[in-house]
Amino acid sequence: MLQSMRDNLKGTAAIIVAAFFGFIMVIGGIDFFTGASGGSADAVAEVNGEKITNLDLQRAIQNRRAMIMNQYGENVPADLLSDEQLREPVLQQLVNSAVMRQAAEEGGMAMSTAAVDREIVQIPGFQVNGQYDKQTLNMWLAQNRFTMAGFRQIMERDLVLQQYADAVTDSAFTTRANAEEIVAISMEERDFDYVVIPVEPLLSEVQVSDEEIQQYYDANQNAFARPEQVAIEYIELKPEMFAANIEVSDQDVRAQYEQEVKGFEASERRRAAHILLEEPTPEVIEEIQGKLAAGEDFAELAKSYSDDFGSRDQGGDLGFTSGDVFPEAFEDALAALEVGQVSAPVQTESGTHLIKLVEVAGSEPPTFEERADAIRKQLQNAEAEREFVGALSRLADLAYNADSLAGPAQELGVKVQTTGLFGRQGGVGIAGNSQVIDAAFAPEVMLDGNTSDVLNLSNEHSLVLRVLEHKPEGTYPLDEVREQIAERLKREKASEQLAQDAEALKKQLEGGAQFAALAEQKDLTLETSDGTRRGGMGQRGEIVEQAFHLPAPQSGDSLLSAFATDSGDRVVLQLREVRPGELSRQSKEQREALMQQLASMTGTSELAAVQQYLKTEADVEINR
C-alpha cells in the first residue's frame, strides 16, 4: 500500500538525518553515501587516484536534497533542490571527505567490527519502538541497492573519518588570556539611569495637512512601491480529506487481524555484553576468567579490561541482536549461552571476546483488543489512499480548460479555497509554498487565465490553482497609504517638539541638577539600570544599545545622552559606570563551559584548516 511505502520513505529520511551522520556532514564535509561505489563506473572526480563515481555523486545529491526537505518542509525554495544547484557543493564535500578519510587511513586509524555493528543497531531509522529491527534495515538496504557488507564498509570508513575529526578538534585548546579578553567585552556591565518622555500624549494635538501628506508621498515613492501580486483559487487533495467519510466494518477489522496473526513470526532477541581484547595474552584471559569465577562484576571488568572504547564505559553492553548483527562466531557463541552466563574466548576479526548474555526478549502476537483500533485506522487510511489516488488521477482532466474550479471541486467532493493577494516573495499558508508561487506567476496561468498543472507538493499533498486577480507592479495609491503617512508625520512632529524638552533636561543635568528631583518635577519615571549587559528587545533594547555606544566615563563623572526611539519617544540617559567583564567573577561551572566552548570553536577552525591543507596537497581531478 502507498501508506507503507511512504512510511518506509520516512524511515529513510530519519536515517539520513541521524545525529551521527549530521556530525560527520557538518564537521567533516562528508556525505552519508561517500565511498559507495558501484553501478556507474563513470568517475566525476579522482582524489589521489581514488575515484568518486557518478553514482556516489547522485546518491550524495539525493541525501542533501532529503536533508533540505527535512529542514524546510514543503516550503523549501525549488531552486535549492535542483541538481544544478546541489551538484558543485556536494561534489566538493565528497572531495573534502576523501582527502580527510585518506589521511585518517594513512595515520593507521581503524574501527573494530563490533564498534561498526553497534553504531548500526543504534541508528534511529533502523529501530522500531526504540529497538533495533532487522526487517527495517533490510528494507532500507534493498531500496538503496546496498548489501550488508557494503553498508558496513561505508559505516567503517565514516566512523574512521569521525575519529580523525575528533583527533583534531579534541586536541584544540584556548588560553586563559583569550577567555579573559572575550569575557571583558561580552560580559561588560554598565550602570545608568534614564527617563522616557512619551510621544503618545502629543499625537492628538499635532495636525498634519493634506498638502504635507501629498508632499511626503511624492518625495518617498520608493517607500510605497507595490510588487506584482496575485490572488488564487485552488483545489488541494490529501488522503486525510477522504478518511473522515470512510467506515470500516468490525468484520473487516477481524479479518485483517487474523491475517496478521497467521503471518506473525515469534522472534527472540538477545542482549549481549562483551569484553574485547584486541591482542590478548593467555595470562590476561586467565586473569579475567578467574575474577569472573570469583564473582566479580562483568561490567566493572569490561570497564577495566575491554579494548572496545565505545562499549566499555557501558559495562560492555552492545544492545540486542536477532542473530544477524554481529559476526557469525560471536552470534553462535551468544546463542549457546544462558542468561547471565559468560562464554569461553571467541575469536573474530576484531580480536578475542568474552561474551555475556544479559537478557533474552521474546514476542507474542498482540490480542485483537490491542490491535483493533490500529487496524481500523490502517484500513481506513488504506481506503483513503485509494480514493486519494483516484481523485488525483481525475484532477488534471477535470481542471483542464475549466472556467473555474467550482465544477471540478464538486465532482471530487472537495472545497475550492482561495487566498488573498500575495507577491513573488510569497504570502501566508499555501501562498508561501515555492511551487505554488512559481505556478501562480507563470505567464500561462497569471496572464492567459489557464489552470495550472497538478502540483505535487509532497507524496500526500497535491493541488491545482487558477489566478482570480492580478495586480501589476506599481505604486500604492495615496488613499491606501494616507493614514500610514499621517501617523508617521504626526510622530515626527511630536518627537521634534519633545527633542527640545529632552535637550533642556540634559542641560539641567549637566549643570549639576539631581536626576531624581528633575524626573519627579516633570512627572517622569526615573528608571535605574545597574549591572546591565548587552542585549534586549523592543524599546528597552534600543535604550541598552545606546548606553553601550557611549564611551566609558572618567572616574567619578558621568556621561549624558538624549536620543529618539523608533516610536518617537525621547530618552535622556545618564551613564554612571562601566565595568569590564571578569573571568574570575564567573562561577567554576561558567568558566569551564566558556573554556570548553572557546576550545570547540578553535577546534572547528583548526579542522577546517587541516581539511584545506590536505586538499591543497592532494592530487584532485574534477571531470566537468
Side-chain angles (χ1 to χ4, degrees):
M1 290 183 288
L2 286 176
Q3 185 60 47
S4 64
M5 292 173 63
R6 287 173 182 147
D7 287 342
N8 292 334
L9 288 173
K10 292 173 184 176
T12 302
I15 297 165
I16 292 172
V17 298
F20 165 69
F21 298 113
F23 168 83
I24 296 176
M25 283 180 278
V26 172
I27 301 299
I30 186 175
D31 186 273
F32 171 65
F33 294 111
T34 300
S37 301
S40 175
D42 298 333
V44 293
E46 286 192 25
V47 181
N48 294 325
E50 176 186 322
K51 290 184 178 182
I52 297 174
T53 70
N54 186 55
L55 180 58
D56 294 335
L57 178 59
Q58 291 306 314
R59 280 173 166 169
I61 288 175
Q62 291 171 11
N63 184 45
R64 174 59 67 85
R65 186 180 290 118
M67 290 185 66
I68 295 173
M69 289 289 290
N70 183 72
Q71 181 176 358
Y72 293 101
E74 293 183 2
N75 294 329
V76 58
D79 58 347
L80 287 181
L81 302 178
S82 67
D83 281 7
E84 294 79 7
Q85 182 76 13
L86 295 176
R87 187 183 193 281
E88 186 61 28
V90 169
L91 180 56
Q92 290 303 318
Q93 282 191 343
L94 294 178
V95 171
N96 292 341
S97 164
V99 297
M100 288 186 64
R101 191 177 59 254
Q102 290 169 5
E105 292 170 353
E106 290 173 5
M109 291 185 173
M111 191 62 57
S112 69
T113 303
V116 173
D117 289 337
R118 186 175 60 256
E119 290 293 341
I120 291 175
V121 302
Q122 291 176 356
I123 293 174
F126 296 153
Q127 296 180 355
V128 176
N129 297 326
Q131 298 292 338
Y132 165 70
D133 184 71
K134 174 187 173 183
Q135 184 179 3
T136 301
L137 171 60
N138 289 339
M139 289 176 61
W140 184 86
L141 293 173
Q143 290 168 356
N144 291 278
R145 295 180 293 166
F146 279 107
T147 65
M148 189 62 199
F151 182 55
R152 273 198 177 101
Q153 181 185 13
I154 295 168
M155 284 287 296
E156 180 180 1
R157 297 174 74 179
D158 290 353
L159 285 166
V160 167
L161 177 59
Q162 181 179 2
Q163 189 180 42
Y164 182 87
D166 288 345
V168 176
T169 57
D170 291 350
S171 63
F173 65 93
T174 189
T175 65
R176 185 178 179 89
N178 288 339
E180 288 176 342
E181 183 178 353
I182 291 172
V183 168
I185 299 172
S186 63
M187 297 186 179
E188 178 184 297
E189 294 182 351
R190 296 194 166 205
D191 299 341
F192 56 89
D193 306 312
Y194 66 93
V195 294
V196 177
I197 308 175
V199 73
E200 207 69 33
L202 286 182
L203 294 181
S204 60
E205 303 174 8
V206 177
Q207 300 297 318
V208 177
S209 68
D210 289 343
E211 182 180 359
E212 288 175 310
I213 293 174
Q214 183 70 55
Q215 288 176 350
Y216 186 91
Y217 177 76
D218 293 340
N220 296 275
Q221 287 286 287
N222 290 339
F224 306 111
R226 182 188 64 198
E228 186 175 29
Q229 295 177 307
V230 295
I232 62 171
E233 64 173 0
Y234 63 96
I235 297 173
E236 66 177 343
L237 298 179
K238 298 179 180 179
E240 58 261 32
M241 297 170 65
F242 303 94
N245 299 322
I246 296 173
E247 294 186 3
V248 178
S249 68
D250 293 340
Q251 183 179 358
D252 289 339
V253 175
R254 174 66 69 173
Q256 180 63 29
Y257 173 76
E258 296 298 335
Q259 287 294 112
E260 286 189 5
V261 171
K262 288 180 182 179
F264 182 84
E265 294 183 4
S267 61
E268 187 175 77
R269 296 179 297 111
R270 292 173 170 259
R271 184 175 180 182
H274 78 152
I275 298 172
L276 173 64
L277 305 171
E278 293 183 347
E279 297 180 358
T281 64
E283 292 77 15
V284 171
I285 294 177
E286 185 177 346
E287 179 181 336
I288 297 173
Q289 289 178 321
K291 291 184 176 181
L292 288 170
E296 292 197 29
D297 185 54
F298 184 93
E300 292 302 319
L301 293 175
K303 292 178 182 179
S304 301
Y305 288 95
S306 181
D307 291 324
D308 183 358
F309 295 98
S311 71
R312 69 182 187 184
D313 289 340
Q314 285 76 46
D317 190 0
L318 296 173
F320 283 97
T321 173
S322 298
D324 59 353
V325 173
F326 306 119
E328 184 176 355
F330 190 108
E331 293 283 4
D332 290 344
L334 182 64
L337 298 174
E338 300 293 333
V339 173
Q341 189 177 3
V342 179
S343 72
V346 177
Q347 190 68 34
T348 71
E349 293 181 358
S350 303
T352 301
H353 308 259
L354 294 174
I355 305 167
K356 180 180 180 180
L357 177 58
V358 179
E359 177 185 354
V360 176
S363 61
E364 296 294 334
T367 65
F368 175 76
E369 289 72 19
E370 291 172 336
R371 287 288 298 151
D373 289 343
I375 291 175
R376 190 180 303 277
K377 188 170 184 61
Q378 176 185 340
L379 294 175
Q380 190 179 48
N381 288 341
E383 182 59 31
E385 290 275 8
R386 285 189 283 271
E387 292 196 18
F388 167 73
V389 172
L392 188 58
S393 66
R394 299 169 59 201
L395 180 59
D397 291 337
L398 291 172
Y400 183 71
N401 283 338
D403 292 333
S404 78
L405 296 181
Q410 185 176 7
E411 188 77 18
L412 296 172
V414 296
K415 295 180 179 180
V416 177
Q417 302 181 68
T418 61
T419 72
L421 288 166
F422 61 90
R424 293 180 185 270
Q425 300 302 314
V428 297
I430 200 69
N433 184 279
S434 61
Q435 292 187 62
V436 171
I437 296 168
D438 291 343
F441 283 91
E444 62 272 18
V445 176
M446 180 177 66
L447 301 178
D448 299 341
N450 295 330
T451 302
S452 73
D453 293 334
V454 176
L455 308 178
N456 295 312
L457 305 186
S458 71
N459 291 327
E460 298 180 340
H461 189 189
S462 300
L463 64 76
V464 294
L465 62 86
R466 289 176 56 86
V467 170
L468 291 177
E469 183 180 0
H470 171 226
K471 284 190 174 184
E473 182 180 0
T475 303
Y476 285 104
L478 177 58
D479 288 344
E480 291 188 25
V481 296
R482 180 181 296 276
E483 290 187 9
Q484 174 186 337
I485 295 174
E487 175 70 15
R488 183 182 185 91
L489 292 177
K490 283 182 179 181
R491 286 190 177 274
E492 288 181 356
K493 283 188 173 183
S495 187
E496 286 301 319
Q497 293 180 26
L498 294 181
Q500 300 175 12
D501 296 338
E503 286 298 326
L505 179 57
K506 179 184 172 185
K507 287 184 178 179
Q508 288 179 283
L509 292 172
E510 290 173 340
Q514 294 299 309
F515 210 166
L518 284 177
E520 183 178 0
Q521 178 184 336
K522 297 180 180 298
D523 199 22
L524 299 172
T525 301
L526 179 65
E527 301 286 353
T528 296
S529 186
D530 289 341
T532 308
R533 292 184 179 176
R534 301 174 190 272
M537 302 294 291
Q539 188 176 78
R540 167 69 179 177
E542 294 179 60
I543 294 170
V544 171
E545 182 180 3
Q546 289 289 335
F548 274 85
H549 278 167
L550 294 173
Q554 298 297 320
S555 179
D557 295 332
S558 62
L559 287 179
L560 293 164
S561 176
F563 55 91
T565 66
D566 289 344
S567 67
D569 293 342
R570 291 283 169 169
V571 178
V572 178
L573 182 146
Q574 182 181 50
L575 177 62
R576 292 182 276 106
E577 186 176 354
V578 174
R579 293 182 298 279
E582 295 180 15
L583 186 62
S584 59
R585 291 171 54 195
Q586 312 306 312
S587 69
K588 179 182 177 182
E589 292 75 15
Q590 289 174 321
R591 291 196 301 270
E592 290 177 349
L594 176 62
M595 297 293 284
Q596 184 176 3
Q597 183 179 8
L598 293 176
S600 176
M601 293 169 61
T602 303
T604 301
S605 177
E606 289 179 357
L607 182 61
V610 168
Q611 185 182 81
Q612 183 59 40
Y613 170 77
L614 293 173
K615 187 175 178 181
T616 302
E617 294 296 306
D619 181 11
V620 179
E621 295 183 13
I622 305 292
N623 300 325
R624 300 297 178 186

